[in-house]
Each structure stands twice: as structure tokens, then as C-alpha cells.
Amino acid sequence: MSLKNFFTGKTAVRFWLNIVLMLLVVIAVPLVTFYMLDTFTRHGEKIEVPSVAGMSFQEAEKALKERGLVAAVADSVYDKNAESGAVIEQLPRAGYEVKGGRVIYLTVAMKEAPMTRLPDVVGLGSLREAVSILQALGFKLTPHEEVEDKPKNLVLGVKQGSREVQVGEMLPRDNTLTLMVGAGEKDSVAVDSFLTDFLIDEAIAPDELKSELDNDIDIEL
């Protein structure tokens, strides 16, 4: 076949058709790719997150869904000032601009305060350790109640209100606890004073004994 025949007749039509199709593919593939990327990544789309604090989870879910967002419970905490099931906190916060389909994590209020078993802080004896352990468990403490004639800062018991609670008892963490600790023994100062005088006497005794021995020697001479 001559070159002239290749560019004329049916052969030429097929040749140029293939060229056009190749050009279309080369142009179309990048365009379709960029379009699909923009669609999947929602490029340029911005949705302002509404405030759902104070709403029930169902109301919050509905409000977010209307904006093209998804609600999910991330945590639940006890708040005596909030209604059970109400949204206390949200992340991202209200006013943030996000893309459609973004999950908004919600913290909702629990119905009842969580219960915690009271550890044996009396057995520890140390006031500092008792305070650290109870606060780490989430308990709130009132000023300590001092008991006379007991060693200073020795932990003697735990009260919830006016009632003394026992080790291992399940207690709501929103209630406050009071530690009963020793105020110090009354005779501790007298004992200390006696020991001090005794040690001073002991320190002076050798000199006095030496003086008495010298006197005895003089008399014998």
C-alpha cells in the first residue's frame, strides 16, 4: 500500500478516527480524574458547624444531619446541672467550617453519678496519700475533721456527710467526703519537754559526777 492510499479512502478515515479518539482519551482522563477528586474530597465545600449544646442527642443528630454532618457520641459524663442525655460538649466546636459528611463528636450527660468503691485509705495512715488517692478517683474533699488525742494527721476514718462510710462501700463520686484525722496528742508537748530536760540532765551529769568524785578524793586525802 502506498503512502498516498494510506491517507485516502477508508484507511484514512479509520486512521484519523483513531487519532481523534486517542486525543479525546488523553484530554478526558485528566479531566475526569480531577472532577472525581473534587467530588470525593469535597474540595471548596465549607459547612459551618451549628451549636447543639443543651439539645438531646436525637435533636442534635437531626440538626447536624440537616447540615450534611454526622453525630457520634464520644463520651458521657455526669453533670448535676444538665438534663440526662443532653449534649454538654461538641468537637469540632460551633462555628468551625468543615466539609460535608464530617463526624461531630458529642459528649452527653449521664443520668446518674458514677459509683466508685471506697479504697482503704485508713490503712495507709498517711493523710497525703489518702488525699491523693481519693482525688485521683474523682472524689471531692471537704476540710478535714480533726480528732483530739490522736497522732497528728493520722487518717482515722472517712465520712460522707454525717455518716461514717466503710472500706469497699460503693459511693457516688459527686458527693463530697470528709477525712477524719488526728489533731495531735495533748501530752505530746509535755513528753517532748520531759525528754528534752532528761537529755539536758544526761548531758550535764558527767560534769556533776566528776565534781562529786573530786570532792570524794579530797576528803579521803
Side-chain angles (χ1 to χ4, degrees), residues 58-167:
Q58 291 74 16
E59 293 172 338
E61 187 178 31
K62 181 179 178 181
L64 293 171
K65 189 175 182 180
E66 291 175 352
R67 296 284 187 96
L69 304 173
V70 180
V73 176
D75 195 9
S76 56
V77 298
Y78 178 74
D79 187 344
K80 62 182 179 181
N81 297 319
E83 294 183 7
S84 175
V87 176
I88 299 175
E89 191 175 342
Q90 64 183 84
L91 190 69
R93 298 184 183 279
Y96 273 62
E97 293 183 341
V98 298
K99 296 177 181 179
R102 174 69 181 272
V103 177
I104 308 301
Y105 297 98
L106 307 177
T107 300
V108 298
M110 295 175 62
K111 184 177 182 180
E112 296 179 352
M115 305 290 286
T116 302
R117 192 179 303 277
L118 180 68
D120 185 10
V121 294
V122 178
L124 294 173
S126 170
L127 174 60
R128 181 179 299 178
E129 290 185 31
V131 170
S132 298
I133 291 174
L134 293 176
Q135 288 181 340
L137 292 174
F139 289 110
K140 297 179 181 178
L141 301 177
T142 64
H144 313 315
E145 180 180 311
E146 294 188 337
V147 181
E148 298 294 338
D149 296 333
K150 296 295 180 180
K152 184 71 172 177
N153 291 337
L154 177 67
V155 179
L156 304 170
V158 183
K159 281 186 176 181
Q160 185 175 8
S162 59
R163 182 178 70 90
E164 186 172 351
V165 292
Q166 304 301 318
V167 174

Side-chain angles (χ1 to χ4, degrees), residues 197-211:
D197 293 341
F198 175 77
L199 291 174
I200 291 173
D201 291 342
E202 287 295 313
I204 296 175
D207 293 334
E208 293 178 347
L209 181 60
K210 182 179 179 181
S211 177

